[in-house]
Amino acid sequence: EFKITELEGEDVISSALNEIYKLSPTEILVESRTLERFSQEFNNYKKLNEIVINPINKIKDPGKVLRKYFNVISLESYGVDRKELAVEAGGFILEYVLELHKYNDLPIQTIAYDNRDNYLELNLATQKNLELVENTREKTNLGTLLWVLDRCKTSMGT
C-alpha cells in the first residue's frame, strides 16, 4: 500500500506523531528542516517507542517523481492533484525507497489519499491509557482490547 495524507491544525506535530503511533512503523522519514525544528518532540517520541528516525532532504519536484513512477501525466486521477503537502511527502518517500531498492521492482501499483476527516481520532495519550494493543506494565498485549478480541470463540471473531 502507498497512502498519503495531510494533517491540519495548530498542533500538527502531535497529530503526525499520533498517526505514526497508530501505524507502529520501525522507521520514519522526516524532512531535515522539520526534524531540526521539532527535534525535542521527535526525540521524546523516539525514547518512548523503539523507532529509527531518519532525516531526508527535499527534492526539486516530488510530483514529477510520482507522475514518472506511476506513468501518468497528472495525479488528478488519484485525487491528490491539489494536496501539495501530501504529494511532497509522497514524492520524498518514493524517491527514498526507489534509491534503497535500485535494482528491484517495487510492488506499488497505485497511490491513495487517506482523508483524515473520515475517521474518529483518539490522541496518543488516550490510546495508551485505554491499552488497546499494548499494556503499560509489561509492554505486551496481555489484558488489552486486542488480546480480548483475539480470544473470540469463532474464526470470524478472531
Side-chain angles (χ1 to χ4, degrees):
E1 286 184 314
F2 188 57
K3 292 184 178 182
I4 57 176
T5 192
E6 289 184 348
L7 302 171
E8 298 176 11
E10 290 182 23
D11 196 8
V12 174
I13 199 68
S14 178
S15 296
L17 293 175
N18 283 334
E19 288 298 313
I20 292 166
Y21 180 75
K22 284 186 247 178
L23 297 172
S24 299
T26 55
E27 175 185 22
I28 60 173
L29 306 173
V30 182
E31 192 269 324
S32 301
R33 288 191 337 221
T34 304
L35 188 57
E36 289 172 16
R37 184 174 171 206
F38 296 104
S39 61
Q40 183 177 355
E41 289 87 344
F42 282 110
N43 286 331
N44 290 342
Y45 186 83
K46 190 175 177 181
K47 286 178 190 173
L48 295 173
N49 304 281
E50 293 181 24
I51 194 165
V52 176
I53 299 175
N54 285 323
I56 58 173
N57 296 317
K58 281 194 170 199
I59 55 177
K60 282 190 176 182
D61 190 353
K64 183 178 180 182
V65 171
L66 293 173
R67 288 188 303 273
K68 181 179 177 188
Y69 180 82
F70 293 112
N71 198 26
V72 294
I73 296 171
S74 168
L75 297 172
E76 186 176 2
S77 61
Y78 297 110
V80 298
D81 56 320
R82 292 194 174 106
K83 307 294 184 189
E84 292 177 22
L85 295 175
V87 168
E88 189 174 320
F92 292 164
I93 291 168
L94 186 59
E95 179 78 11
Y96 177 84
V97 172
L98 289 171
E99 188 65 30
L100 280 180
H101 298 277
K102 274 186 179 173
Y103 305 106
N104 299 324
D105 288 336
L106 297 178
I108 300 170
Q109 301 297 321
T110 187
I111 186 170
Y113 181 74
D114 198 11
N115 188 348
R116 306 311 313 156
D117 293 337
N118 295 337
Y119 301 96
L120 169 69
E121 296 288 329
L122 296 176
N123 66 29
L124 184 58
T126 303
Q127 291 174 50
K128 284 191 179 253
N129 289 334
L130 288 174
E131 295 186 342
L132 299 173
V133 294
E134 180 181 81
N135 68 41
T136 54
R137 292 170 298 286
E138 298 127 8
K139 302 290 185 201
T140 66
N141 72 349
L142 187 65
T144 64
L145 178 61
L146 177 64
W147 179 80
V148 170
L149 293 175
D150 279 344
R151 297 217 163 327
C152 290
K153 299 289 183 196
T154 66
S155 59
M156 285 297 288
T158 57

